[in-house]
């Protein structure tokens, strides 16, 4: 999950989104419209200042409603697709893909935002049933050396059905071989975190995975990200005032990438094309730097995906 670090140098999403080219997409009239993104997290506050509606469900035992009592899910969801809203201190928050259609699947609960991976897998299966184009998972557990583990199989199943699975690398850096699962899955688009200067964050997990894969695949803004939150995290926040919070973690980087992917999918559709996860990784390999176990191929950006759609996608 995200690391709570209230600081004076909060980075509002209206600014952090520019690092993944969301402002360029806006100039193109691309907002993620028509793209379904399933957010598997702690739920959502449907009544918050960046309200994203009430489409969702809970897969957490004993918590039948998807309301977010932790705040993590609300923060990742609003980072991904929150509408433009000012905070009490004058910052503007705006999600990466404000036109995307979010499906909120609560798979972590118990106030502190934990749960078994069986709930996560149930949420992934439900995302498939609901026709998600993208699955965003700012969560993770221990990596596995099992080549065909249950979590890796579920990720592969979704990808085979055309879903882009975006998963956090984890917050156990700077040590090597610290990537969590399901981010360690070969088929996942795994995300590390950078700061506003583009430098990899100390907490961002590094590869290789236990299977020897070079991960993460890419990076995105993940330090001091300011967006709407609720519950436990909002109660802890004292700089901006509830319900706003500045969080750091690969959890915050993941919705930036999921949002950029949604923008790329909408752009591809506008050109009569289909953008799959294999294409996204190919775009990163073509236009990014040589892949390493700290930043993958580097920043994933909408302009990169747009260029790939125009130049390389049949």
């Amino acid at each position: 999950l995200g690391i709570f670090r209230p600081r004076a140098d909060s980075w509002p999403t209206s600014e952090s989104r520019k690092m993944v080219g969301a402002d360029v997409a806006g100039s193109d009239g691309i907002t993620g419209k028509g793209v379904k993104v399933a957010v598997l997290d702690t739920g959502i506050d449907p009544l918050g200042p960046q309200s994203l509606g009430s489409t969702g469900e809970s897969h957490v035992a004993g918590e039948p409603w998807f309301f977010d009592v932790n705040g993590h899910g609300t923060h990742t969801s609003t980072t991904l697709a929150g509408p433009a809203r000012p905070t009490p201190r004058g910052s503007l928050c705006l999600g990466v893909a404000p036109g995307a259609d979010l499906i909120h699947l609560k798979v972590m609960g118990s106030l502190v935002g934990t749960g078994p991976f069986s709930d996560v897998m149930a949420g992934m299966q439900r995302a498939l049933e609901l026709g998600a184009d993208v699955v965003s998972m700012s969560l993770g557990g221990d990596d596995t050396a099992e080549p065909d583990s249950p979590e890796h199989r579920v990720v592969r199943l979704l990808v085979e059905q055309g879903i882009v699975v975006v998963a956090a690398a984890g917050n156990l850096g700077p040590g090597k071989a610290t990537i969590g699962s399901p981010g360690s899955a070969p088929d996942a688009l795994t995300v590390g975190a950078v700061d506003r200067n583009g430098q990899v964050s100390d907490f961002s997990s590094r590869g290789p995975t236990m299977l020897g894969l070079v991960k993460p695949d890419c990076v995105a803004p993940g330090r001091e990200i300011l967006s709407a939150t609720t519950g436990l995290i909002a109660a802890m926040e004292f700089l901006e005032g509830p319900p706003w919070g500045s969080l750091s973690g690969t959890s915050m980087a993941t919705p930036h990438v999921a949002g950029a992917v949604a923008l790329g999918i909408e752009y591809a559709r506008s050109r009569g094309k289909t953008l799959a996860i294999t294409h996204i990784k190919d775009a990163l390999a073509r236009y990014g730097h040589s892949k390493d176990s700290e930043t993958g191929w580097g920043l994933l950006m909408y302009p990169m995906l747009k260029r790939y759609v125009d130049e390389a996608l049949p």
Side-chain angles (χ1 to χ4, degrees):
L1 295 180
I3 304 168
F4 177 74
R5 294 178 179 172
R7 296 181 185 273
D9 58 347
S10 297
W11 193 10
T13 50
S14 63
E15 295 299 320
S16 64
R17 70 194 299 270
K18 295 177 182 178
M19 187 174 276
V20 296
D23 54 333
V24 178
S27 297
D28 289 344
I30 300 294
T31 64
K33 184 178 180 180
V35 181
K36 289 185 179 181
V37 184
V39 179
L40 276 61
D41 213 299
T42 61
I44 184 71
D45 177 6
L47 304 176
Q50 286 184 287
S51 176
L52 293 165
S54 57
T55 301
E57 57 191 45
S58 175
H59 292 269
V60 177
E63 298 182 33
W65 195 35
F66 59 89
F67 186 82
D68 185 10
V69 296
N70 174 270
H72 190 271
T74 298
H75 195 281
T76 59
S77 294
T78 53
T79 296
L80 201 164
R85 296 289 187 273
T87 73
R89 290 178 61 127
S91 299
L92 178 68
C93 288
L94 172 63
V96 175
D101 299 324
L102 296 198
I103 304 169
H104 306 287
L105 298 175
K106 183 174 181 176
V107 298
M108 297 182 292
S110 304
L111 185 62
V112 293
T114 60
F117 198 77
S118 58
D119 290 347
V120 177
M121 289 193 291
M124 293 170 71
Q125 179 64 39
R126 187 60 176 149
L128 174 60
E129 294 170 354
L130 294 172
D133 299 300
V134 182
V135 167
S136 181
M137 295 188 289
S138 293
L139 51 83
D142 294 337
D143 193 8
T144 174
E146 184 182 344
D148 201 31
S149 66
E151 52 265 44
H152 288 188
R153 287 202 305 269
V154 176
V155 171
R156 184 168 64 247
L157 170 65
L158 267 60
V159 169
E160 288 174 347
Q161 296 301 313
I163 299 174
V164 180
V165 178
V166 184
N171 300 329
L172 298 178
K176 296 181 179 180
T178 52
I179 302 289
S181 181
S184 59
D187 296 290
L189 183 62
T190 310
V191 187
V194 294
D195 62 20
R196 68 179 67 214
N197 297 313
Q199 299 300 307
V200 63
S201 297
D202 54 353
F203 56 76
S204 187
S205 289
R206 274 75 161 166
T209 69
M210 291 186 69
L211 292 176
L213 300 176
V214 179
K215 290 275 186 173
D217 298 301
C218 60
V219 288
R223 183 179 286 276
E224 310 300 344
I225 304 300
L226 175 64
S227 198
T229 186
T230 191
L232 178 64
I233 291 175
M236 294 169 63
E237 178 62 71
F238 57 85
L239 284 178
E240 295 287 335
W244 304 93
S246 300
L247 298 180
S248 296
T250 57
S251 283
M252 286 62 251
T254 298
H256 279 86
V257 168
V261 167
L263 298 174
I265 289 175
E266 186 195 352
Y267 180 78
R269 288 175 177 173
S270 74
R271 297 298 185 268
K273 301 179 181 183
T274 300
L275 186 67
I277 193 168
T278 52
H279 302 136
I280 294 167
K281 291 184 178 182
D282 189 31
L284 282 162
R286 284 174 181 246
Y287 308 130
H289 58 60
S290 297
K291 194 175 188 184
D292 61 53
S293 290
E294 290 193 352
T295 62
W297 285 293
L299 280 167
L300 186 144
M301 300 174 285
Y302 163 78
M304 171 190 293
L305 300 180
K306 177 183 177 181
R307 179 181 177 188
Y308 185 85
V309 169
D310 291 339
E311 294 181 354
L313 194 61

